[in-house]
Amino acid sequence: MSQTASKAASKTHNNDKNTNATSPHYLMWFRRDLRLHDNTALTALCEKAATDNAQVSAVFFLTPKQWQAHDMSLVQVDHIARTLPILAKTLQDQLNITLIVHSAPSFADCIDTLTTLCQKNHISCIMANHEYEGNEIDRDEQLTKQLAKDDIEFVRWHDQCILPPQSITTNDDTMYQVFTPFYKKWRHTLDVDEIQLHDAPAIKDNHDIDLQLSKTSVNTMKEIESLCKNTVEDYQKTLQDAEALQHIDSEEQLKHARDAYPAGEKAACQQLERFIAEDINDYDVGRDVPSLNATSQLSAYLTIGTISPRLCYLQAHKAQEKLHGNDGDNEDINRWISELAWRDFYRHVLVDKPELIRHQAYKDDTDKRINWSYGDDDFQAWCTGKTGVPLVDAAMKSLNTTGFMHNRLRMVTAMFLTKDLLIDWRWGERYFMQQLIDGDFASNNGGWQWSASTGTDSAPYFRIMNPFSQGKTHDPDAIFIKTWLPELKDIPNSTLHSEEKLRNSLSKGGKFASLDYPLPMVEHKKARELAIAEFKK
Ligand code: FAD
């Protein structure tokens, strides 16, 4: 474990309002780590509190302005809002810790509130887990300076990855530029005995803290539930006013997401258990078939931190040992572990190249060379699933309706936008963030730049997915396509998987000419040639 800390000796505070001024008081700041199990900062803080006989409180900031600046989707905000009351209750029941929820429009407000909270309540140490996006890093650095004025410690821990950023480097101590050698080293380094889950000890005699709160802070269950509910409603309204929800029925998306992702760490851990007991055994093949839903569906939980990535890894590793003993090797399980490694990889890349947060291309020469298109009509056709390419349209409809898209389809739709339509990957990146329940800067940016051939480990730009052959391979019976595009139910699968046949049957005089479904908006072969010419420039 490594940490960054602003260390300082403790100093007596002027404010003597606190009821228990003699025993130290510490604060856990929850961010994207909404769980008790294997939470690095929470464990460290509770252990320190046990040693120092200190009291502990916790805080979470609702930051709608910041969320909007990050294009955070309504379904993700709703997921956080559904999770917080559960976190508050579990913290209280299991660790005797009170969660304070505070609505803070901006990051500056977070800093002011934390400073005041510490002063009013004689808090001498705050702990949190690292966040790796630029604004968050700046905020933490400002806060460190601000708190140091009052000799308050602010300690941060690496927790979001299985292995922390900057721990997997080449022999020259630089970050890997491509995934495969990174993965080799990552697996090698991952000595299972070293990975241990840490659970926080309960804080004894912690009930009687008389917390001094500001007007906009709440800490009873009822108040937290109500504040969270209002925050989601306000956020929805803000997005509506900004026309960010124009392509979706947000009530329907919320309903789907709430059904698919029950909130809280217990639900997340049950989902992991179910996956390890069942679908992981066919993961290598099943993961590429969108209609099967055979992937873990854990990304939404990993993104807001209701499940520990180390727990995911360890459970998979245990399953492998159970099947194959100590020298266990299982293609399905290995493949899943490698997906967890992709998640680590993109976070390590972001820490290594923080300018990515400003949406610069990883291969920055591509920004100068490629003449991206900004055709709004083409972009709208892609967003709304009206490109005339069945797999792309079905995928976009599934995203707009559920707030989730299968990984294979993320690649297909992203390549279609950036190669067939030559539209700037940043437009697609943003649209995904606005819709996805698992929207996460590092993975989303990494996935988009991979697909656009501007990022790490890019597929060579001339390898461009043909969305029709992708349909034939990964949705041969068109089950996924017909689920999301029921208007195509009578079209034979072989027609749906062939651009030429589909174009003929939808054109005037064709068998399905009367269908309300557009002709494919580009000819893939021609579009591919144009994209290659553009990339070659
Ligand atoms: P599983 O297949 O069960 O994988 C397990 C976990 O591994 C996932 O939950 C996820 O945390 C991680 N993972 C899997 N594949 C990848 C990958 N390619 N890159 C990084 N991590 C991965 N993932 C996000 O979590 N948030 C995003 O915003 C996001 N945007 C993407 C955009 C594009 C264009 C592409 C191509 C991929 C994106 N991904 C993103 C990665 C991937 O599509 C999702 O993580 C995956 O579909 C989630 O489903 P699952 O939990 O069932 O995954």
Side-chain angles (χ1 to χ4, degrees):
M1 276 181 202
S2 54
Q3 66 180 69
T4 358
S6 71
K7 294 258 173 195
S10 74
K11 187 172 108 177
T12 315
H13 293 267
N14 300 331
N15 190 324
D16 54 6
K17 256 184 154 182
N18 195 298
T19 51
N20 210 339
T22 48
S23 75
H25 188 175
Y26 301 156
L27 186 73
M28 168 68 195
W29 179 7
F30 282 96
R31 288 118 72 109
R32 291 201 159 252
D33 50 359
L34 303 182
R35 64 176 188 279
L36 270 62
H37 74 270
D38 191 40
N39 183 321
T40 312
L42 180 66
T43 305
L45 190 71
C46 290
E47 285 175 356
K48 180 175 160 65
T51 310
D52 301 350
N53 198 19
Q55 297 186 308
V56 174
S57 302
V59 69
F60 181 87
F61 287 97
L62 299 159
T63 53
K65 269 203 184 140
Q66 197 57 34
W67 295 338
Q68 203 188 351
H70 281 322
D71 291 313
M72 199 197 278
S73 68
L74 176 64
V75 277
Q76 187 170 119
V77 168
D78 180 65
H79 191 200
I80 293 172
R82 288 186 289 125
T83 305
L84 285 173
I86 300 174
L87 178 71
K89 183 162 184 348
T90 328
L91 267 176
Q92 194 71 75
D93 291 352
Q94 295 185 14
L95 300 184
N96 286 334
I97 294 175
T98 299
L99 180 70
I100 305 159
V101 178
H102 185 93
S103 194
S106 68
F107 275 172
D109 197 32
C110 286
I111 295 177
D112 290 349
T113 306
L114 274 171
T115 311
T116 316
L117 192 69
C118 289
Q119 288 168 346
K120 276 189 176 173
N121 294 284
H122 297 270
I123 289 166
S124 57
C125 174
I126 303 180
M127 287 201 193
N129 290 311
H130 273 287
E131 293 190 295
Y132 302 116
E133 289 89 355
N135 281 355
E136 281 74 356
I137 294 172
D138 292 348
R139 172 204 58 200
D140 286 352
E141 283 170 3
Q142 276 180 39
L143 179 68
T144 303
K145 281 190 202 144
Q146 176 72 28
L147 293 175
K149 292 181 195 159
D150 285 337
D151 290 341
I152 299 164
E153 255 189 319
F154 178 32
V155 187
R156 281 170 288 155
W157 300 86
H158 288 294
D159 179 76
Q160 274 192 16
C161 294
I162 296 171
L163 292 172
Q166 295 173 327
S167 65
I168 304 296
T169 51
T170 64
N171 293 341
D172 299 335
D173 214 21
T174 54
M175 175 57 196
Y176 285 98
Q177 309 268 315
V178 288
F179 177 72
T180 308
F182 168 89
Y183 179 55
K184 264 193 190 155
K185 182 99 172 253
W186 184 90
R187 273 310 282 261
H188 183 71
T189 310
L190 206 54
D191 178 347
V192 174
D193 293 335
E194 290 278 312
I195 291 261
Q196 285 180 7
L197 305 184
H198 298 278
D199 287 328
I203 306 298
K204 292 180 195 140
D205 307 324
N206 203 34
H207 281 304
D208 56 353
I209 310 177
D210 180 14
L211 279 168
Q212 306 295 313
L213 302 180
S214 73
K215 274 188 202 138
T216 47
S217 298
V218 297
N219 68 346
T220 67
M221 278 306 291
K222 233 180 165 177
E223 287 168 338
I224 292 177
E225 274 168 8
S226 152
L227 179 62
C228 286
K229 192 167 166 275
N230 292 343
T231 303
V232 173
E233 284 169 10
D234 289 350
Y235 195 67
Q236 183 169 14
K237 192 161 178 324
T238 309
L239 293 187
Q240 261 156 5
D241 292 347
E243 296 190 355
L245 302 175
Q246 58 179 321
H247 298 314
I248 64 160
D249 174 344
S250 51
E251 291 304 325
E252 189 181 21
Q253 206 188 50
L254 281 170
K255 187 185 173 317
H256 268 276
R258 286 172 185 165
D259 288 350
Y261 297 97
E265 60 187 302
K266 196 169 160 207
C269 292
Q270 282 169 349
Q271 176 65 16
L272 173 67
E273 266 174 42
R274 231 184 343 261
F275 174 70
I276 299 273
E278 296 164 17
D279 289 333
I280 202 170
N281 299 316
D282 289 318
Y283 182 75
D284 201 24
V285 174
R287 80 195 174 102
D288 266 332
V289 184
S291 62
L292 287 183
N293 266 336
T295 60
S296 71
Q297 311 281 309
L298 283 168
S299 53
Y301 296 113
L302 281 162
T303 295
I304 63 167
T306 37
I307 196 158
S308 147
R310 293 167 296 280
L311 176 67
C312 294
Y313 167 75
L314 278 180
Q315 295 295 74
H317 184 81
K318 267 193 210 155
Q320 194 161 49
E321 273 188 346
K322 210 166 147 193
L323 282 173
H324 302 280
N326 279 344
D327 303 323
D329 212 14
N330 173 294
E331 259 179 46
D332 292 298
I333 297 178
N334 276 339
R335 175 68 71 181
W336 194 65
I337 291 175
S338 80
E339 299 301 339
L340 294 173
W342 271 105
R343 182 176 172 278
D344 268 18
F345 176 65
Y346 285 138
R347 278 172 167 65
H348 289 217
V349 167
L350 177 60
V351 169
D352 184 59
K353 223 172 152 58
E355 56 273 26
L356 288 177
I357 198 77
R358 292 194 296 278
H359 306 276
Q360 283 179 9
Y362 182 85
K363 290 188 174 145
D364 43 19
D365 64 305
T366 58
D367 272 345
K368 291 174 207 118
R369 274 191 302 117
I370 298 166
N371 193 10
W372 294 112
S373 156
Y374 297 93
D376 198 46
D377 289 350
D378 285 359
F379 182 61
Q380 298 304 326
W382 178 83
C383 293
T384 49
K386 290 188 178 140
T387 66
V389 179
L391 192 64
V392 171
D393 293 345
M396 294 307 292
K397 295 241 155 131
S398 75
L399 173 66
N400 292 342
T401 310
T402 67
F404 182 81
M405 191 194 283
H406 185 278
N407 181 58
R408 167 66 43 185
L409 302 177
R410 293 188 203 203
M411 294 192 280
V412 171
T413 52
M415 275 217 187
F416 184 79
L417 188 79
T418 56
K419 304 287 173 59
D420 288 50
L421 302 182
L422 257 182
I423 287 182
D424 193 331
W425 55 270
R426 282 159 275 238
W427 281 25
E429 180 197 21
R430 179 160 191 233
Y431 189 75
F432 267 30
M433 282 305 280
Q434 289 171 336
Q435 306 305 336
L436 283 170
I437 188 164
D438 63 13
D440 160 85
F441 180 84
S443 298
N444 192 46
N445 181 275
W448 271 95
Q449 295 224 43
W450 183 93
S451 306
S453 305
T454 62
T456 56
D457 207 15
S458 311
Y461 64 82
F462 46 83
R463 250 201 285 141
I464 297 176
M465 284 177 182
N466 177 328
F468 289 92
S469 0
Q470 287 288 317
K472 191 172 175 185
T473 311
H474 301 293
D475 190 27
D477 300 326
I479 296 172
F480 185 85
I481 291 176
K482 289 180 178 176
T483 302
W484 292 102
L485 302 170
E487 64 270 37
L488 303 185
K489 68 179 181 347
D490 296 326
I491 303 190
N493 301 339
S494 60
T495 304
L496 290 174
H497 298 322
S498 152
E499 183 182 333
E500 197 188 344
K501 282 189 194 165
L502 185 65
R503 201 178 279 284
N504 288 340
S505 61
L506 292 172
S507 297
K508 207 169 166 204
K511 193 170 169 199
F512 296 101
S514 60
L515 269 190
D516 184 17
Y517 186 73
L519 285 173
M521 64 190 286
V522 285
E523 269 183 52
H524 177 71
K525 198 165 165 243
K526 275 196 193 150
R528 181 178 178 277
E529 281 163 12
L530 284 176
I532 290 175
E534 191 61 37
F535 270 84
K536 256 194 194 155
K537 273 198 320 206

